[in-house]
Amino acid sequence: MNFFLETLKLIVLLIYYLLESLVFLVVPGRKKNVSGEIVLITGAGSGIGRLLAIKFASLGATVVLWDINQEGLNCTVRLARENGAGRVHSYICDCSKTQDVYRVADQVKKEVGDVSILINNAGIVIGKRFLDSPDSLLEKTIQVNTMAHFWTYKAFLPAMVAANHGHLVCIASCAGFLGISHISDYCASKFAALGFAESIDMEMRALRKTGIKTTIVCPYVINTGMFDGVKANFLPVKAAVLLLDYFGGMEIMSTFKGRPKKE
Ligand SMILES: NC(=O)c1ccc[n+]([C@@H]2O[C@H](COP(=O)([O-])OP(=O)(O)OC[C@H]3O[C@@H](n4cnc5c(N)ncnc54)[C@H](O)[C@@H]3O)[C@@H](O)[C@H]2O)c1
């Protein structure tokens, strides 16, 4: 009888969740209120990180901005202050270095407080064929795009677990779903970041920490400078993936130049 009831419950919930996700496809869900949250964004000195910093500041969040680029960071701080009511803090932190992450994370906890929204956004791309990529750069890609996520979670997740409140955001890539020529290390790093973020989400669910949410973002090519020179096609991600070969996706990196050194 117990087995019958459990199975019935499973089927009803399964149908309910499927219908719910169909509804959310057309009706936007309720927006999260981030006012008063402490939001840490890695790689905030440029591109997506900068835009996120400005947006979160404008929504009344306290933003904590990390980057290795002081000039870029200063610019983001100025823009976030101009656009937002919340507090803005910035720190130089090399996310590829474990001890740097732990040291600066301790500083943040003392000076700002416990981070409640963590956005792992910092990323790099080499853009060479695998056999032409120096070992040190291959390692760097994994350190920045994947392992940095381990260290930031280690630093900030315990407080979220204790409070059963928090949000973990992984800026991955559609390159985390499929292999692409010339960026094998980048794809590997994004596959790994995605798998890591999804696994920790499952761990939080297993621990019944329902107050800790996870969002994984998988953008296609965005005009931030990171993929300068790449000729992206105009299709939606799923259609692009389906027709990748036909639309030249296999050679998408062949015209890659990257951001000029002076930036
Ligand atoms: N731009 C795109 O087309 C695109 C597409 C898919 C995914 N993404 C992902 O989005 C994220 C942001 O990309 P973007 O386009 O804004 O790139 P970007 O180059 O404009 O910004 C990345 C930032 O990360 C910082 N950074 C690099 N190494 C760091 C380190 N060791 N420690 C701390 N900061 C470091 C850089 O200084 C820079 O400010 C990346 O993870 C990227 O892989 C970008």
Side-chain angles (χ1 to χ4, degrees), residues 157-171:
L157 185 54
M160 293 186 196
V161 170
N164 190 18
H165 174 77
H167 205 131
L168 302 161
V169 181
C170 167
I171 307 293

Side-chain angles (χ1 to χ4, degrees), residues 42-50 66-69 72 93-97 120-125 140 144-145 149 171-175 186 190 217-227 259:
T42 69
S46 174
I48 296 170
R50 174 173 295 159
W66 283 10
D67 208 290
I68 41 169
N69 177 349
C93 179
D94 184 344
C95 297
S96 69
K97 301 204 164 101
N120 272 306
N121 164 75
I124 55 168
V125 64
K140 198 70 177 174
V144 179
N145 297 3
H149 300 203
I171 307 293
S173 169
C174 69
Y186 183 81
K190 294 297 184 179
V217 187
C218 297
Y220 193 49
V221 179
I222 308 170
N223 186 18
T224 62
M226 180 181 245
F227 283 97
R259 179 178 287 120

Side-chain angles (χ1 to χ4, degrees), residues 66 93-95 97-105 151-152:
W66 283 10
C93 179
D94 184 344
C95 297
K97 301 204 164 101
T98 320
Q99 291 315 318
D100 222 31
V101 171
Y102 290 160
R103 180 182 56 76
V104 184
W151 318 137
T152 53

Side-chain angles (χ1 to χ4, degrees), residues 36-239:
E37 301 286 348
I38 299 180
V39 185
L40 188 141
I41 305 167
T42 69
S46 174
I48 296 170
R50 174 173 295 159
L51 294 174
L52 287 173
I54 295 167
K55 187 67 184 178
F56 275 104
S58 77
L59 294 172
T62 293
V63 291
V64 181
L65 312 175
W66 283 10
D67 208 290
I68 41 169
N69 177 349
Q70 183 70 72
E71 216 180 306
L73 212 43
N74 290 346
C75 176
T76 307
V77 168
R78 183 175 50 76
L79 291 169
R81 287 197 175 128
E82 279 170 15
N83 287 279
R87 291 183 299 152
V88 182
H89 304 262
S90 69
Y91 298 84
I92 290 291
C93 179
D94 184 344
C95 297
S96 69
K97 301 204 164 101
T98 320
Q99 291 315 318
D100 222 31
V101 171
Y102 290 160
R103 180 182 56 76
V104 184
D106 281 345
Q107 211 181 328
V108 169
K109 286 179 216 169
K110 280 189 203 112
E111 294 172 4
V112 188
D114 285 330
V115 167
S116 52
I117 301 180
L118 169 64
I119 305 181
N120 272 306
N121 164 75
I124 55 168
V125 64
I126 305 172
K128 288 184 193 294
R129 284 187 205 281
F130 175 67
L131 291 179
D132 297 333
S133 306
D135 293 357
S136 60
L137 289 186
L138 292 173
E139 270 176 13
K140 198 70 177 174
T141 303
I142 301 295
Q143 281 163 355
V144 179
N145 297 3
T146 312
M147 296 190 68
H149 300 203
F150 298 175
W151 318 137
T152 53
Y153 272 47
K154 278 269 176 89
F156 298 115
L157 185 54
M160 293 186 196
V161 170
N164 190 18
H165 174 77
H167 205 131
L168 302 161
V169 181
C170 167
I171 307 293
S173 169
C174 69
F177 291 123
L178 75 160
I180 300 170
S181 164
H182 279 73
I183 47 171
S184 54
D185 57 326
Y186 183 81
C187 287
S189 72
K190 294 297 184 179
F191 268 71
L194 207 149
F196 171 67
E198 227 169 55
S199 304
I200 301 299
D201 182 45
M202 290 302 152
E203 272 189 29
M204 293 304 112
R205 287 169 196 263
L207 289 170
R208 303 282 183 258
K209 294 293 174 187
T210 51
I212 302 175
K213 312 293 181 192
T214 292
T215 300
I216 304 173
V217 187
C218 297
Y220 193 49
V221 179
I222 308 170
N223 186 18
T224 62
M226 180 181 245
F227 283 97
D228 260 7
V230 167
K231 290 184 188 133
N233 67 52
F234 53 85
L235 291 172
V237 173
K238 283 187 180 162

